[in-house]
Amino acid sequence: MKSILLTKSGLTRNKAGPFLSSKLRPVSHSRIWRRIVKHKYYYLLLFPGILYFLVFSYIPMGGVLIAFQDYKLAKGITGSAWAGLKWFDMLFSSPDFWTALGNTLLISFYKLVFNFPAPIILALMINEIVNSKFKRTIQTIIYFPHFISWVVLGGIMFTVLSPSTGVLNALGVTTSPLMDPRSFRGLLVLSEIWKNIGWGTIIYLAAISGINPELYDAAKVDGASRYRLIRHITIPSISGTIVILLILRTGHILSAGFDQVFVLYHPLVYEVADILDTYVYRVGLTSGRFSLATAAGLFQSVVGLVLLLITNAAAKRIGGRGIW
């Protein structure tokens, strides 16, 4: 042990050799197999999860070939003729696609600005509640909407906001916000906050619970107020969690929420509510143009991957933290 020294860069130095990180030392294949055999039951627990992603995530990736074919359902992927980039040219020349792309970016931007900080703020507020029973009651109430499907929540929203039988009728309002293109996107943002804000706070409350209480005690001895405790201890301590979730959220910026929009939208708000997911569904399933729908889905996935890589690189450059 005396021959190993810690340096400022976190590396270890052996007197007999050059600088070498203990985490980067090459591991022989025989050593890897010995580890697998030793912990075989733990790896066995991983098997159902690996099988799930293999069957439902990796094998279906072969379906992207449809985007480069004149796909015929009767002939299948192996029998359909190749079409090159024909469907991508058709996709990018379609006005409906650009309308859906614009709506997707705008709705995702609204959700990123308003929905992402909401669970953080709520978790900080819940953490300040001293009464444990009241705290658990609040948590239960805000978690509940997450377990209700968008079909049920959509029905509730249509009933409550109905201009004939809902609350609005009692207030003398003759039109529903769900029928108004100017307010539809705002309702999408508010309804998603209502549904998922409680579930999102779980992660941040878990991160807050891992903060060393001695940090708070030391700050209180120095006379720090509750606001300063939040600002200088709580928020910096959960900043890593916030960055990781922000990166993951940015990677899904072209997925504005199919279930929610599909349940709530209708022909009166198509112009402001039709997103890429609903466009792919409408073109692929209802019109039977599978190649065009696959091209749109592939474009959506590639852009999401690029955004994920850019955001992760930016987060590592600015804050020194990323997903990998």
Side-chain angles (χ1 to χ4, degrees):
M1 293 298 292
K2 291 181 180 180
S3 63
I4 299 176
L5 300 174
L6 288 176
T7 67
K8 292 182 179 179
S9 62
L11 303 178
T12 58
R13 181 177 60 181
N14 192 300
K15 287 183 178 179
F19 286 96
L20 184 64
S21 170
S22 58
K23 294 181 179 179
L24 299 179
R25 284 172 186 159
V27 181
S28 63
H29 293 293
S30 60
R31 190 173 178 184
I32 293 175
W33 278 113
R34 282 200 300 271
R35 287 183 182 177
I36 293 176
V37 172
K38 180 180 179 181
H39 304 291
K40 54 183 178 297
Y41 295 111
Y42 294 110
Y43 287 104
L44 193 61
L45 291 175
L46 289 175
F47 182 73
I50 294 173
L51 187 63
Y52 171 84
F53 284 107
L54 186 65
V55 173
F56 294 104
S57 297
Y58 285 93
I59 293 178
M61 283 184 184
V64 299
L65 294 176
I66 295 174
F68 305 97
Q69 293 179 327
D70 286 327
Y71 179 72
K72 303 295 182 186
L73 194 61
K75 295 182 179 179
I77 296 178
T78 55
S80 299
W82 293 98
L85 300 178
K86 167 188 169 183
W87 296 108
F88 289 94
D89 292 337
M90 187 178 293
L91 181 71
F92 296 141
S93 61
S94 170
D96 292 341
F97 169 75
W98 293 109
T99 301
L101 179 61
N103 290 335
T104 303
L105 291 174
L106 201 55
I107 292 172
S108 295
F109 175 75
Y110 288 154
K111 289 184 176 180
L112 190 65
V113 171
F114 296 104
N115 292 21
F116 183 76
I120 302 172
I121 297 171
L122 185 60
L124 294 174
M125 295 172 64
I126 291 176
N127 186 56
E128 294 301 312
I129 298 176
V130 179
N131 190 316
S132 59
K133 290 185 178 179
F134 180 66
K135 187 176 181 178
R136 286 197 296 270
T137 304
I138 293 294
Q139 288 177 306
T140 303
I141 292 173
I142 62 174
Y143 292 162
F144 182 68
H146 176 77
F147 300 100
I148 303 176
S149 70
W150 274 115
V151 177
V152 177
L153 283 180
I156 294 173
M157 289 181 64
F158 274 109
T159 303
V160 172
L161 299 178
S162 171
S164 57
T165 58
V167 178
L168 294 178
N169 184 41
L171 298 176
V173 179
T174 56
T175 59
S176 171
L178 287 171
M179 307 295 176
D180 188 355
R182 294 171 300 179
S183 58
F184 187 81
R185 290 170 179 158
L187 284 176
L188 289 179
V189 174
L190 290 175
S191 58
E192 182 165 311
I193 291 178
W194 174 38
K195 187 176 190 299
N196 294 323
I197 189 173
W199 189 255
T201 58
I202 292 176
I203 299 173
Y204 296 110
L205 286 173
I208 291 173
S209 65
I211 301 174
N212 189 349
E214 293 181 357
L215 294 175
Y216 291 106
D217 296 336
K220 289 176 182 177
V221 171
D222 291 337
S225 62
R226 299 182 77 172
Y227 170 73
R228 287 187 176 275
L229 293 177
I230 295 173
R231 180 182 174 186
H232 296 291
I233 296 178
T234 307
I235 294 179
S237 298
I238 64 173
S239 60
T241 305
I242 295 173
V243 170
I244 290 174
L245 292 180
L246 179 61
I247 293 171
L248 294 175
R249 186 67 180 265
T250 306
H252 292 86
I253 199 166
L254 289 188
S255 299
F258 172 79
D259 295 345
Q260 180 191 22
V261 176
F262 185 72
V263 167
L264 296 177
Y265 86 154
H266 47 80
L268 290 178
V269 295
Y270 269 179
E271 187 179 351
V272 298
D274 191 24
I275 60 175
L276 280 178
D277 290 327
T278 54
Y279 175 78
V280 170
Y281 168 79
R282 196 173 62 253
V283 171
L285 294 183
T286 61
S287 301
R289 304 165 77 181
F290 299 108
S291 296
L292 184 61
T294 307
L298 184 59
F299 168 79
Q300 185 180 6
S301 301
V302 171
V303 173
L305 176 62
V306 172
L307 288 174
L308 180 65
L309 294 174
I310 292 175
T311 311
N312 186 63
K316 289 174 71 175
R317 180 175 289 273
I318 296 173
R321 294 177 180 177
I323 297 178
W324 64 86

